Amino acid sequence: MNPVNYLYLAALLFTIGATGVLIRRNAIVVFMCIELMLNACNLAFVVFSRMHGNLDGQIIAFFTMVVAAAEVVVGLAIIVSLFRSRHSASVDDASLMKL
Amino acid sequence: MENLIALLIAAPLLGAAVLLVGGRRLDAVGHWIGTLLSTASFVIGAVLFVGLLGRSADDRTLIQHLYTWIPVESFQADVTFRLDQLSMTFVLLITGVGSLIHLYSVGYMEHDERRRRFFGYLNLFLAAMLLLVLADNYLLLYVGWEGVGLASYLLIGFWQHKPSAATAAKKAFLVNRVGDMGLSIAIMLMFTTFGSFAFGPVFGHVGGTSEGRLTAIGLMLLLAACGKSAQVPLQSWLGDAMEGPTPVSALIHAATMVTAGVYLIVRSSAIFNAAPDAQLVVTVVGGVTLLFGAIVGCAKDDIKKALAGSTMSQIGYMVLAAGLGPIGYVFAIMHLVTHGFFKAGLFLGAGSVMHGMNDEVDMRRYGGLRKYMPITFITFGLGYLAIIGFPGLSGFFSKDKIIEAAFAKGGTEGWILGGAALVGAALTAFYMTRVMLMTFFGEERWRTGSGAAADGHDGHGEPHPHESPGIMTIPMMVLAVGSVFAGFFFNLGDRFLHWLEPVTGHSEGHSPVSALTVTGATMVCLVVGVAVAWAQYGRKPVPAAAPRGSLLTRAARRDLLQDDFNHVVLVRGGEHLTRSLVYVDHTLVDGVVNGTAASFGGLSGRLRRLQNGFARSYAVSMFGGAALLVAATLLMRAV
Amino acid sequence: MSQLAAYTTSTGEAFQFWVLGTVAVIGALCTVFMRKAVHSALCLAGTMIVLAVFYLANGAYFLGIVQIVVYTGAIMMLFLFVVMLVGVTAADSLKETIRGQRWLALLCGVGFAVLLLAGIANASLKDFTGIGRANANGNVQGLAALIFTRYVFAFEITGALLITAAVGAMVLTHRERTERARTQRELAEQRVRDGKHLPPLPAPGVYARHNAVDIAGLLPDGTPSELTVSRTLRERGQVRDVSAEALGDLKALEQRAEERLERTAVEPATSQRPEEAAK
């Protein structure tokens, strides 16, 4: 098997995640889809690392994870405060610039 | 001595400022302040005149530089005064006659509660006129020019409670604006042509300038002169300006406003000498106006309007003379001065008559007044003899010279212009005799019962004609003396000619007819005019109601249809123009603007749907954009 | 470890890829299409575990472990925590509200996938070095060597980023109290002023049998009173209705009594609620 197949898998997962962002209205699910996209990228980096025979790809993936962790913390905080003010976690409910 | 020049203007300007700012507490003495300062200006003028006489003929130009008004690169506007023989003549006329009119006004306006303001305006008028004639450059002259326009507006509309006076003031102002535009264009042309508008540089550079340029400048100056001097085609304001108090009419007609145009042309003689086409137009305008004014004067029953027509006609003479070039400049100014005397006297006399007749102006309700107001009769009569050119009086000398000069122009033009001037002389004799006869001779038509509608006029009932007080008659007497002797005095040894020659230049034309013939012809015209007038108004009683008259008479009563012409051509034309412009504006301009706005509105209405506020919608566009970027990258790689 | 350096992978890895790859895709699809957020989160966790296995298979041992510990362990738990906070049973309606959104999204998704796959297929990925040599001194040691030398700045900056994120999250969720908290006395006075519920709110539960907090107390006519349930449960729609049960019990009790007393059945007309009569 050619390791390029991993890349195809990563592309597929990324696209599924992106489509999910567009389709789902629940902010938490949207957020999960974003995490899915990040993970797909990580997979691609790891595979590239293997292809090129150095560890830089893995370092990038590692940093991505750290940044994703930070992003999740802030993003979820936003979702919680949004839910608190609107009693809803739907992204469509926040379609006006004021409450 | 130069330093006195600014004082000439400063005195009346100070008077105007004090009287207009001072308020009611000056009501009691205001008229005397005005008269005093005007007289002070005259005294200063006299001192300067004596000073000038003490110098040699070539050294009689005094320049006083006050300060630089607008120093911008080559645009150097100085406040500089020039006093030479020409300005001196005007200064003496303006301040002299002006002071007499001030004095007269003290009596005439005695019962007017706004007398102080009136004197303030009179002083302002004098100051503006002095600035006009003393300026050493066209820009400063323009300031005085506009000042005269403003003062005339204020004075003509002095009795602003009368709608007719307010309208007349507006009319005078608007018509003058047309002329002012001409002057401002002329100044701009001068600046682009000569790089300056001071008299010295402008006249010095005339030689090297194309004739077309000079003709354009000359025609613009003529337009300006037409506006101020009430020449055809900008003459229509003069008759209506009679709505102002009579001293104002005297001031405008004799000493100040209308002479400004003649001054401008004579002052710009260097330009006109180099532009014969412009000169020809000037003579044509003068000739047409002198006949126009005379015809109007023949038909008017309003004494002031008859005199106004006369002024128009006499100014026509001066403009005609000024257009003749060096052979006429001196006589234009001479006639201007003598006219200043007798026309001021005539107007003051008319004012005196009105004063005694409850402000009645219709000559058909006068008659036989010589018994009741003898001084007015005598002074008015002397003015009358002077204006018709009775031998030995001022008008005779000055007018005769102009007619001679017109013939001396030579060629067909000379014959036409001279003929027009002769006809004008006859007409002058006719209408002035008519005024004289209708006012002072014949039946006493003002008596109730004899007049048609004399009763109840102005609520005064039957008037009680009486002589005016001394303060009014003294100026009239002084002016009468001037009317009688000025011409003779000026002509004695060609005194006036030698006085003005260094400024205006002079040359004797080659008249196809001898001077004696011209004088004879003038006399014949004079006698014919007087005789016809006598036949019509002296032998027969004057009907109290104006007869229907011939077509020409009726037209002349309507000022030869000048207002109708203006109305039809300018007002109607303007209305049609604006209406069509409004139509174009509504359909084309608004259509384009509104169409653009509507199309943008429609487009944005559709585009707005993209901005629905849903984050997911925006995410779709982002994602689509990313897909396109990937596609573009792949395409670039494939290529 | 040596086989990782090979140009192609082993059959075992290929098998593992095809099996687990399918699981990952299905998990991802489920994440997107599950109606309940909890289910989505669980599916995502599954996908992430599969990805962790793939990391391990690709020689990224450290990342594989971190993926499981940090991602599946910490982050996904954070997700579940928030899901619980927001409402675990609140199902997301899959009906689209924005016109054309779903079709556009699918079109873009398919187009993007096709382009991406084509791009990968088009790329010249012939060189395949393998991770073996890089991992020769141990994967963690290799990563550490890189992180603390070449990427030390990035590493430090991520530290700053994490702190910022932590502070940011606190700021976002912290609510400043702008007015003084009302005392009990003031609350009581407010109640008197409003004229509603002067006494304390009724307690939940019906008789002694049901004292669970999500069961509404019954009014004398047998209808449930929403007031007795806490507001949070009410807003989530998690109130259990046991009124019918109670009425049924009552009916059964009466019937048994009648049988014992040998009486004819009497319709309990008065005790029947209008809605139930309609049913």
Side-chain angles (χ1 to χ4, degrees), chain A residues 18 22-25 91-92 94-95, chain B residues 612-616 619-621 623:
Chain A
L22 301 184
I23 290 176
R24 295 305 298 263
R25 262 172 301 173
V91 289
D92 283 2
S95 63
Chain B
N612 50 12
F614 292 116
R616 292 189 300 139
V620 164
S621 19
F623 193 42

Side-chain angles (χ1 to χ4, degrees), chain B residues 152-285:
Chain B
S152 67
Y153 169 79
L154 292 171
L155 284 171
I156 294 170
F158 186 72
W159 287 326
Q160 64 221 34
H161 51 87
K162 288 199 298 186
S164 58
T167 313
K170 269 187 282 186
K171 187 174 177 184
F173 200 73
L174 286 176
V175 175
N176 267 298
R177 295 308 310 169
V178 181
D180 296 345
M181 283 313 294
L183 186 55
S184 59
I185 292 170
I187 292 174
M188 293 175 209
L189 278 174
M190 278 177 206
F191 188 70
T192 54
T193 310
F194 307 113
S196 169
F197 32 70
F199 291 153
V202 169
F203 301 149
H205 289 103
V206 163
T209 313
S210 74
E211 197 183 310
R213 263 291 160 117
L214 291 174
T215 307
I217 295 175
L219 289 178
M220 285 300 116
L221 288 175
L222 173 65
L223 182 63
C226 285
K228 272 281 176 286
S229 293
Q231 300 295 293
V232 175
L234 299 180
Q235 80 290 1
S236 60
W237 64 272
L238 192 71
D240 293 345
M242 292 302 120
E243 290 294 340
T246 307
V248 174
S249 306
L251 197 60
I252 287 180
H253 287 239
T256 55
M257 186 137 171
V258 295
T259 60
V262 181
Y263 171 78
L264 186 70
I265 294 174
V266 174
R267 178 55 88 186
S268 311
S269 55
I271 294 172
F272 281 100
N273 287 345
D277 292 338
Q279 269 186 322
L280 182 66
V281 179
V282 174
T283 52
V284 169
V285 165

Side-chain angles (χ1 to χ4, degrees), chain C:
Chain C
M1 214 173 268
S2 60
Q3 74 267 27
L4 292 172
Y7 182 77
T8 56
T9 53
S10 67
T11 321
E13 195 190 342
F15 177 74
Q16 174 196 297
F17 173 79
W18 289 115
V19 172
L20 291 183
T22 316
V23 171
V25 172
I26 291 172
L29 288 174
C30 288
T31 307
V32 174
F33 291 113
M34 280 293 175
R35 289 188 63 195
K36 290 197 173 181
V38 177
H39 297 166
S40 283
L42 290 175
C43 291
L44 185 61
T47 306
M48 283 179 173
I49 289 171
V50 170
L51 287 179
V53 173
F54 282 162
Y55 292 171
L56 292 171
N58 277 293
Y61 306 118
F62 178 67
L63 282 183
I65 300 302
V66 167
Q67 172 85 1
I68 290 174
V69 173
V70 174
Y71 246 117
T72 342
I75 296 184
M76 286 320 295
M77 289 316 110
L78 200 57
F79 265 105
L80 282 175
F81 178 71
V82 173
V83 167
M84 294 303 170
L85 195 68
V86 168
V88 71
T89 53
D92 200 7
S93 158
L94 284 180
K95 194 168 179 294
E96 186 55 60
T97 46
I98 308 173
R99 199 156 58 88
Q101 169 77 13
R102 183 163 293 174
W103 298 113
L104 271 175
L106 284 179
L107 182 71
C108 284
V110 170
F112 191 77
V114 167
L115 285 167
L116 220 49
L117 296 178
I120 294 168
N122 202 25
S124 50
L125 295 167
K126 296 285 179 275
D127 297 333
F128 203 82
T129 318
I131 199 77
R133 199 181 304 156
N135 271 353
N137 292 328
N139 179 252
V140 178
Q141 284 84 347
L143 282 179
L146 273 177
I147 282 177
F148 291 112
T149 55
R150 195 190 297 170
Y151 294 100
V152 68
F153 275 116
F155 183 69
E156 294 293 338
I157 291 168
T158 38
L161 180 71
L162 279 174
I163 288 188
T164 316
V167 173
M170 279 192 272
V171 168
L172 275 171
T173 48
H174 178 71
R175 230 187 324 189
E176 193 78 39
R177 198 174 251 294
T178 51
E179 74 259 12
R180 190 174 53 83
R182 286 190 291 177
T183 61
Q184 265 191 333
R185 184 185 180 79
E186 285 169 338
L187 287 171
E189 282 167 355
Q190 176 73 33
R191 276 206 300 277
V192 172
R193 258 199 304 281
D194 292 350
K196 293 192 290 192
H197 303 304
L198 284 181
L201 290 174
V206 182
Y207 307 126
R209 272 190 283 181
H210 294 286
N211 58 356
V213 287
D214 62 341
I215 294 178
L218 294 185
L219 295 175
D221 62 345
T223 51
S225 166
E226 296 254 305
L227 273 178
T228 57
V229 185
S230 99
R231 199 160 59 118
T232 315
L233 293 175
R234 245 184 289 152
E235 281 183 359
R236 286 188 189 167
Q238 288 175 339
V239 180
R240 258 198 290 163
D241 187 0
V242 292
S243 56
E245 196 182 334
L247 287 175
D249 285 356
L250 197 64
K251 202 171 176 185
L253 194 70
E254 281 177 352
Q255 196 169 9
R256 260 179 281 147
E258 277 165 13
E259 279 167 6
R260 195 169 294 164
L261 299 172
E262 295 176 339
R263 287 190 191 155
T264 51
V266 178
E267 279 297 313
T270 48
S271 65
Q272 205 152 10
R273 290 190 301 162
E275 300 102 271
E276 286 179 339
K279 279 175 197 169

